[in-house]
Amino acid sequence: MIPVRSEILSAFEVVARKAGAEILKAFRSSSEFRLKDPMQVLTDADLASHEILAGFFARDFSEIPLVLEEQENLEPLPKTYFVCDELDGSALFSRGISDFSVILGYVENGRPFAGCIYFPISDSFVFAERGKGAYLDGRRIEFSGSFPLAKSVISLEINNTLSEDDFSWIFKVVKRAMTSRSLGATGAGFRELLSGGTDLFLNLNGAKVWDFAAGAVAIEEAGGALLDKNGQSLVWDKIRMSAVIGKDKNLIGEAFGLKPG
């Protein structure tokens, strides 16, 4: 159940469940997959979810532009739009790993306003709306206090788009941290940070706007912060993105203090 009254989040819950049901059907059967490029898996479940989301938003929110992973999108993106990842973690899905999700976001006037991340296997939801808070399975999330890097758990997105400088930076951060882990799914990375399992999330290359929009609202509403890997505020008019995401600015600052160059 949605913990706050919101037309957008109510719509997100309905369509996320519909898409999630189709994804689960494919997960429990022999879904086919292929490679869109060397690091992008496309499954039958991606396409089934795409049809549900595209049809829903065209019918109920036809006046608002829609950005979807499995379609062509032109830059610069509009100031206001819906943005969805039909199946985040497709590679995990294709190997029978359950950390996949459906990610739905709403960007208004160049800034993420509302978001939903739905995990079909566990029927778990992240909901967030600007000014109304962030919630994980009905529990309001508010970050309080933080650990220094030496006592922190770091979440990493490791992929073949990372540069040598990216890897060098990751190495330096991990060497200073208590421990680290890599999930291979951005939605799951946001959920772990919101749940308190991790403290800092490095996603330095390879991510797209549909990976970040929903989670960005949740992190900021919980009291955390996000910067791109150049230390600037995230910009929401382009597809490709990077982010250093943390519970507070001090921890993010420690990470940037270790950046090469």
Side-chain angles (χ1 to χ4, degrees):
M1 178 180 292
I2 298 172
V4 293
R5 299 179 67 86
S6 165
E7 178 185 359
I8 292 174
L9 293 183
S10 295
F12 281 177
E13 180 181 23
V14 169
V15 73
R17 287 191 182 280
K18 288 181 179 179
E22 288 302 310
I23 289 168
L24 284 180
K25 288 180 186 177
F27 187 65
R28 290 166 178 157
S29 63
S30 55
S31 176
E32 296 294 322
F33 73 91
R34 57 187 180 275
L35 294 178
K36 293 186 289 185
D37 61 48
M39 66 165 285
Q40 294 289 324
V41 170
L42 179 66
T43 72
D44 292 343
D46 289 272
L47 300 177
S49 179
H50 174 86
E51 290 301 316
I52 290 169
L53 297 179
F56 177 86
F57 285 102
R59 183 181 68 248
D60 289 18
F61 296 94
S62 59
E63 72 282 5
I64 300 175
L66 177 62
V67 176
L68 292 167
E69 178 173 9
E70 305 307 336
Q71 71 177 29
E72 183 178 355
N73 302 286
L74 300 178
E75 293 182 330
L77 300 177
K79 288 287 188 181
T80 297
Y81 57 92
F82 287 109
V83 56
C84 309
D85 190 341
E86 298 94 333
L87 176 53
D88 180 63
S90 298
L92 302 183
F93 174 94
S94 73
R95 295 301 182 95
I97 300 171
S98 63
D99 288 325
F100 53 84
S101 63
V102 180
I103 305 179
L104 312 174
Y106 174 58
V107 175
E108 185 175 79
N109 295 323
R111 187 183 184 197
F113 180 82
C116 162
I117 307 175
Y118 178 51
F119 299 85
I121 285 287
S122 57
D123 195 33
S124 173
F125 274 98
V126 172
F127 286 114
E129 186 170 312
R130 187 75 57 194
K132 294 185 178 181
Y135 298 83
L136 174 57
D137 296 329
R139 177 173 63 92
R140 184 158 189 169
I141 305 300
E142 295 178 291
F143 297 141
S144 58
S146 68
F147 297 112
L149 186 56
K151 295 183 178 180
S152 294
V153 178
I154 311 303
S155 180
L156 305 169
E157 176 64 30
I158 304 295
N159 60 62
N160 62 11
T161 71
L162 294 172
S163 68
E164 290 186 9
D165 282 345
D166 292 333
F167 277 114
S168 178
W169 189 8
I170 289 169
F171 175 78
K172 290 182 177 182
V173 172
V174 169
K175 285 284 285 184
R176 296 285 186 92
M178 183 170 70
T179 192
S180 64
R181 59 190 268 105
S182 178
L183 289 172
T186 306
F190 277 115
R191 181 174 62 172
E192 281 208 338
L193 189 58
L194 291 162
S195 72
T198 58
D199 304 288
L200 186 72
F201 182 20
L202 301 183
N203 198 324
L204 302 182
N205 209 355
K208 310 288 175 55
V209 63
W210 41 77
D211 297 310
F212 283 165
V217 187
I219 293 298
E220 291 180 343
E221 284 296 301
L226 309 87
L227 296 172
D228 71 18
K229 68 180 183 181
N230 297 313
Q232 303 299 312
S233 298
L234 299 188
V235 177
W236 299 95
D237 64 351
K238 59 184 180 179
I239 301 294
R240 293 185 178 275
M241 303 185 76
S242 65
V244 177
I245 307 158
K247 290 181 175 179
D248 68 34
K249 293 181 179 179
N250 291 332
L251 186 55
I252 291 175
E254 279 197 73
F256 272 99
L258 298 171
K259 184 177 179 181

